[in-house]
Each structure stands twice: as C-alpha cells, then as structure tokens.
Amino acid sequence: MTVTRDTVLDWMNRFAGEMSEHRQELVRLDTAIGDGDHGTNMDRGMRKALEKLSGSEPADAGAALKTVAMALISSVGGAAGPLYGTLMLQMGNALGGGSEVDLESYAGAWRKGLEGVQARGKAQPGDKTMVDALTPAVEALEAASDLDAGLRAAAEAAQEGMKATIPLVARKGRASYLGERSRDHQDPGATSTYYLFKSAAEALAG
Ligand code: ADP
Ligand code: MG
C-alpha cells in the first residue's frame, strides 16, 4: 500500500470536513485557554486550501501538500495556520515528486514536518501544544510495519496525546499567558492535530 496524490487530496477533503464539523468544539476549547479563534481559523484555512487544490491540479502528493501549506500560511492569521503550513510544506518538500509514497518515506516526511513545527514554534512535548499530539503519532508511524495499520496506530496515539494535554500547564502560545489556569483544559491545536491523523487514516482506508 502507498500514499498517492489522490490519497492526499482525499485526506485534505476529509480534514477540511472535520474542521468544518468540529469548528464549534475547537472554538470552545480555544475560548477556555486562548482567544477562541482556532476553529474558525482552521475551517477558513482548509476551505481556502480546497479552493486552491481544485484550481491547481497538483502533479503529485508533494505538490498537493505544498499547495495546502501556502493556502494555510497566507489565509490564517493565528499561530496554528503558519505552524500547520510549515508542517505541510516540510512534508511536501520531503516527499518531492514521487508518485507513490511508501511507509518509510511517508513516516520520514511526517518527521520532517514535526521538525519544522518545532523549529518554528520552539515547543517541546509537554508544553501543551499540537506537538503533544504530533510527536507520539509520528513515533507510532515510524514504529509501524505497514502503512494502513501504522496510520491507524498514529491516529490513536494522536488522540492519546491530545487527551494527555488536559492536565498540562501551557508553556507556549497564548495559553501560556494563563499559567496555572491553563490546567484541566484540552489543547485546541492538539485536538485539530488528532483530526488531521484521523482523516489521514480514513483517506488511506478509502
Ligand atoms: P492563536 O493562538 O494565535 O490564536 P490558534 O488559536 O489558531 O492561534 O491556535 C492555537 C494552537 O496553536 C494552540 O492550541 C497550540 O496547539 C498551537 N500553538 C500555539 N503556539 C505554538 C507553538 N509555539 N508551537 C506549537 N504549537 C503552538
Ligand atoms: Mg486562538
């Protein structure tokens, strides 16, 4: 099994659907420990991304991810837009122009994406950010021996990482301004990252 351009397009369609469906949930989470815009940011960014994808006919998986990245970077003002943009830009660059991506290259691209997010945002695991969902998910994919099971394990690991942000005190982003008061809330960015992996696993399963 491999990841192709069409798998990435299906993934982005599903992720945009999740961001639209869960916009209010993400707004509610961000209202508790931020400024309440994460749901609207991600929904707007992914709508733009779908628009760009339908107008551009990307040649391969890497080009599709780069198109999404540029749409997110240019249309989302908050912290998460540029961070998701960086994730997808680094993934797209790592995939290059290959038409069929195997597990090893795919896991490698996610690792590059995570490194990009951390280079840009300086967050470590435990800082209560999207990195807390991304890190265990990328590790699960790297440990997998087949793509389909690997992505399902990654989605589960992202969900665990998301839930594990609840007791944490935020050390990065707006939530960090709250100090102790950020405890006992689930991080919005870790939540959208769970949906990113959930939709990737579903797109691969078809
Ligand atoms: P903003 O905080 O600018 O309003 P969003 O509300 O769209 O942007 O996104 C907030 C999410 O972004 C947080 O829940 C967190 O997961 C993520 N985030 C914020 N700062 C960082 C950072 N430095 N590194 C990684 N993720 C971050
Ligand atoms: Mg916000």
Side-chain angles (χ1 to χ4, degrees):
M1 195 172 245
T2 56
V3 170
T4 63
R5 182 193 77 140
D6 288 349
T7 324
V8 170
L9 294 179
D10 188 18
W11 170 27
M12 289 301 130
N13 264 306
R14 288 172 191 265
F15 182 51
E18 296 281 2
M19 292 301 93
S20 168
E21 186 181 331
H22 297 282
R23 183 164 49 98
Q24 289 309 331
E25 175 196 359
L26 297 171
V27 160
R28 184 175 49 74
L29 292 172
D30 195 36
T31 299
I33 57 170
D35 57 356
D37 63 354
H38 188 59
T40 37
N41 284 345
M42 294 303 295
D43 182 33
R44 185 178 65 248
M46 286 311 297
R47 278 172 202 273
K48 269 272 176 268
L50 291 191
E51 244 174 73
K52 295 279 181 204
L53 282 175
S54 68
S56 71
E57 297 256 331
D60 48 56
L65 284 169
K66 285 188 252 183
T67 299
V68 174
M70 297 323 292
L72 291 176
I73 291 167
S74 64
S75 71
V76 183
L83 288 166
Y84 272 96
T86 299
L87 171 69
M88 294 188 190
L89 191 61
Q90 294 305 320
M91 284 188 78
N93 284 336
L95 292 181
S99 61
E100 304 221 339
V101 182
D102 65 10
L103 171 62
E104 198 187 337
S105 325
Y106 188 61
W110 275 106
R111 173 58 67 182
K112 289 287 178 209
L114 170 58
E115 285 171 5
V117 169
Q118 291 194 275
R120 184 161 188 136
K122 311 282 178 235
Q124 294 300 321
D127 286 349
K128 197 177 181 104
T129 71
M130 61 189 285
V131 168
D132 290 313
L134 203 43
T135 302
V138 172
E139 284 169 357
L141 203 52
E142 287 170 338
S145 49
D146 101 71
L147 192 51
D148 188 44
L151 260 176
R152 273 185 280 120
E156 277 171 32
Q159 189 173 31
E160 290 305 309
M162 167 191 93
K163 290 183 189 153
T165 63
I166 296 172
L168 297 174
V169 171
R171 286 192 293 247
K172 283 286 179 290
R174 278 181 199 280
S176 67
Y177 308 156
L178 293 179
E180 276 294 327
R181 282 182 295 136
S182 65
R183 205 190 285 282
D184 296 331
H185 297 283
Q186 185 171 302
D187 180 62
T191 308
S192 52
T193 294
Y194 159 60
Y195 290 122
L196 184 69
F197 278 94
K198 175 176 183 273
S199 45
E202 288 171 357
L204 191 75

